[in-house]
Amino acid sequence: MDAYRAQLQSFDQDIADAIRGEERRQSDGVEMIPSENYTYPEVLAALGSVLTNKYSEGYPGRRYYGGQEYTDVIENIARDRACALFRAEHANVQPLSGSPMNQACYFAFLNPGDTVLAMDLSHGGHLTHGAPVSHMGKVFNFVRYKSAPQQGGAIDFDALMTVAKATRPKIVLCGYSSYPRDYDYASFKEVADEVGALTMADISHIGGLVAANVMRNPFDSGFDVVTTTTHKTLRGSRGGLILSKAAYAKKIDSAVFPGLQGGPHMNNIAGAAITFKKAAASEFIEYAQATLRNAKALAAALLAEGVTLVTGGTDNHLLVIDTVASFDVDGQVAEEALDSIGITTNKQVIPDDTRPPLRPSGLRLGTPACTTRGMCEDDMGRIAQWIVKTLRHPKDTAAVEATREEVKATCRRYPVPGIS
Ligand code: DSN
């Protein structure tokens, strides 16, 4: 790695400097975008390896190019480890990331125009769960359900059953990118069974928490298909993973390749294999538990300051602040204000938001990345104070500068893996 870095530095200083700058940014600030994390040095080594040179269309033992003796080993290990980690019968490790992963599942099981029951985007669902602006929303008929934010984000399963009976979905999909609660998978399964639909859970955000068994595993409730990205709470290389019952293996594999993708990125798949090995170790369970503890501590400290949280709290790694109700600023203003003190977050629509996505009413925060660098509940109390102080007085430049220095000083105590 160091040799590669030295060569890059002497050949292309502009890019080398930008990478160095990004390393400093990641070290000096608190990363609180809930879908981001710091991966392992071992994974960075695999990503920067010669595996990036190789084309491997097909699957182990059935490839369209020669020279696969090592790539087959890597993909088989990745698949076996993924199945063991999630208690799945089949794993496809080739999706390039979360969006193609979900698209492949739709194309495996649906014809254009078929109906899917999925969570509304503003209530925490994902673009690929049929948001009207996504291609998937145009190809398939997504019927959206919502949560009840005033009742802790509860989902009304009687209402969902009525909608399912009326619309006869082929897939009942649960999963989220901005929902701070866990899912009652058994109730989703009941609805799906009643109408003969397939059950699919997109656990991209909580994949690491499910792997560590600190959140529910949809397979324990009999789910058919589970998707997750590998770079969020799992802390790995960027990629998508489709897990399923063995009966769906062929359909899913053909939908990924040749249906949707060409050559898999073998350096990422090696990174995923390493990630799954890391996630099976007891240190990872401790990490997952700490991520949840930190999210609860952050939520409690913000609530104690009178901040309004969507659904009133969190059961996972993320929380959503209603910034308009709490500070009378929109999510864009809040994101920029926190950027200026070195806390990175993202603006976020809240349930049934009346504001546009680039000026929404909320802000999304999460604890996976800061927990990776070892931050604990005391730090969450400090972070909550910095957030509240800054969002109450975003134009107080002296306070902003002083807080920025405090953030940096705290960050220096917690090195980032892979950055020296
Ligand atoms: N971009 C990811 C997230 O932030 O949740 C999901 O697509």
Side-chain angles (χ1 to χ4, degrees):
M1 286 269 280
D2 287 347
Y4 297 166
R5 290 292 287 266
Q7 265 178 284
L8 175 61
Q9 182 70 36
S10 66
F11 174 71
D12 192 338
Q13 210 172 334
D14 296 332
I15 295 298
D17 287 351
I19 292 174
R20 192 66 204 147
E22 175 62 12
E23 285 179 346
R24 265 197 310 275
R25 189 195 69 78
Q26 292 192 14
S27 295
D28 289 354
V30 185
E31 181 52 72
M32 300 216 82
I33 294 172
S35 47
E36 295 189 11
N37 213 329
Y38 303 107
T39 195
Y40 306 95
E42 295 90 335
V43 170
L44 292 174
L47 290 175
S49 72
V50 296
L51 290 168
T52 198
N53 301 339
K54 189 73 195 111
Y55 263 120
S56 304
E57 277 97 331
Y59 291 97
R62 296 179 285 128
R63 306 275 195 193
Y64 290 80
Y65 293 74
Q68 307 290 347
E69 52 268 53
Y70 301 109
T71 48
D72 276 6
V73 169
I74 289 167
E75 188 164 347
N76 277 328
I77 290 176
R79 296 199 295 196
D80 291 348
R81 287 181 184 167
C83 286
L85 194 60
F86 289 96
R87 300 190 284 285
E89 291 171 5
H90 178 70
N92 186 307
V93 294
Q94 293 196 4
L96 301 179
S97 202
S99 295
M101 160 190 92
N102 285 340
Q103 283 174 39
C105 291
Y106 302 146
F107 285 115
F109 298 108
L110 303 174
N111 290 311
D114 279 350
T115 296
V116 182
L117 212 51
M119 177 83 124
D120 187 87
L121 183 66
S122 79
H123 282 247
H126 187 252
L127 277 173
T128 58
H129 299 175
V133 291
S134 80
H135 288 312
M136 294 303 97
K138 297 183 174 88
V139 175
F140 304 110
N141 173 39
F142 283 85
V143 174
R144 278 169 279 279
Y145 57 85
K146 298 183 173 184
S147 64
Q150 307 306 335
Q151 289 152 42
I155 287 163
D156 181 343
F157 284 100
D158 291 337
L160 197 69
M161 184 69 92
T162 305
V163 174
K165 284 180 179 167
T167 59
R168 311 303 295 185
K170 290 262 179 71
I171 295 179
V172 171
L173 169 64
C174 63
Y176 46 78
S177 60
S178 186
Y179 179 67
R181 301 294 180 184
D182 202 357
Y183 270 148
D184 173 358
Y185 297 109
S187 295
F188 279 107
K189 173 84 174 129
E190 220 174 284
V191 170
D193 284 351
E194 181 67 29
V195 297
L198 196 95
T199 37
M200 173 175 164
D202 175 355
I203 60 165
S204 289
H205 262 257
I206 56 166
L209 307 175
V210 172
N213 291 306
V214 300
M215 290 189 72
R216 294 182 193 122
N217 183 329
F219 284 124
D220 293 344
S221 300
F223 262 55
D224 297 303
V225 179
V226 177
T227 60
T228 181
T229 50
T230 48
H231 47 279
K232 296 186 174 91
T233 46
L234 262 172
R235 252 165 92 175
S237 45
R238 297 189 89 84
L241 168 66
I242 303 175
L243 302 152
S244 69
K245 292 180 175 165
Y248 305 118
K250 201 168 174 328
K251 272 191 171 175
I252 289 171
D253 286 356
S254 327
V256 173
F257 174 85
L260 188 68
Q261 293 186 174
H265 294 180
M266 290 310 302
N267 56 336
N268 264 294
I269 291 176
I274 296 163
T275 301
F276 302 146
K277 184 171 183 178
K278 290 272 189 187
S282 59
E283 290 86 347
F284 190 79
I285 298 174
E286 284 160 29
Y287 161 71
Q289 288 166 336
T291 300
L292 292 185
R293 271 200 311 274
N294 280 346
K296 281 212 185 305
L298 183 63
L302 290 169
L303 288 169
E305 287 289 341
V307 173
T308 304
L309 298 181
V310 172
T311 80
T314 181
D315 293 330
N316 57 29
H317 63 299
L318 70 83
L319 39 120
V320 181
I321 298 177
D322 182 332
T323 55
V324 174
S326 308
F327 303 103
D328 200 22
V329 295
D330 67 40
Q332 173 65 24
V333 171
E335 181 190 298
E336 282 173 14
L338 295 185
D339 258 343
S340 71
I341 60 164
I343 294 183
T344 312
T345 60
N346 71 273
K347 56 186 158 295
Q348 181 66 43
V349 287
I350 63 171
D352 301 318
D353 210 332
T354 51
R355 291 170 185 258
L358 287 174
R359 285 270 171 197
S361 305
L363 194 74
R364 195 178 63 148
L365 305 151
T367 54
C370 61
T371 306
T372 293
R373 59 198 293 186
M375 289 188 184
C376 59
E377 285 151 288
D378 285 350
D379 299 302
M380 298 306 115
R382 263 189 290 281
I383 289 170
Q385 292 307 317
W386 292 329
I387 290 173
V388 168
K389 191 163 66 167
T390 305
L391 295 187
R392 281 193 186 138
H393 306 288
K395 297 206 170 95
D396 182 342
T397 44
V400 164
E401 268 171 40
T403 308
R404 177 71 189 113
E405 288 311 309
E406 281 181 54
V407 170
K408 253 193 214 167
T410 300
C411 286
R412 267 184 219 121
R413 303 204 328 260
Y414 297 103
V416 169
I419 302 181
S420 49

